[in-house]
Amino acid sequence: PCNACQRKRQETRGIKKCNWRGVGPWTAQMFLMFALGRPDVLPLGDLGVRKGLGVMLGAAEPFPSEVLQAEAEAWRPYRSVVAWHCWRVLENQPKR
């Protein structure tokens, strides 16, 4: 792999494994998506993503993380874009 690819992998590993207090997987994923612009990050623990996917696919409940992870393999390398769409679809939903 090229040097830039190796550098990106190292950055990603470092962020995901950070031991800073208050910085967990969700925070690391948001940083990768929004600060570093990574196109292939899927925050499986994000309720908005799970609810949004449920709305798009007509499910009554948010998708479980395990189901979402299996479905998301088909969306590589643009899972960040799918997450963004899941959040956007919820903006137009009535509040429950």
Side-chain angles (χ1 to χ4, degrees), residues 46-93:
D46 189 279
L47 186 57
V49 171
R50 293 176 27 229
K51 279 185 175 181
L53 184 63
V55 168
M56 286 192 285
L57 299 178
E61 297 292 322
F63 268 57
S65 296
E66 301 78 28
V67 174
L68 179 57
Q69 187 171 15
E71 291 287 324
E73 287 304 310
W75 307 329
R76 281 184 187 271
Y78 301 108
R79 294 180 298 175
S80 295
V81 176
V82 174
W84 184 83
H85 281 286
C86 290
W87 289 317
R88 297 291 79 82
V89 77
L90 292 178
E91 291 178 355
N92 298 320
Q93 293 297 307

Side-chain angles (χ1 to χ4, degrees), residues 14-25:
I15 291 167
K16 287 182 178 178
K17 291 182 179 181
C18 104
N19 289 324
W20 296 334
R21 184 175 176 198
V23 177

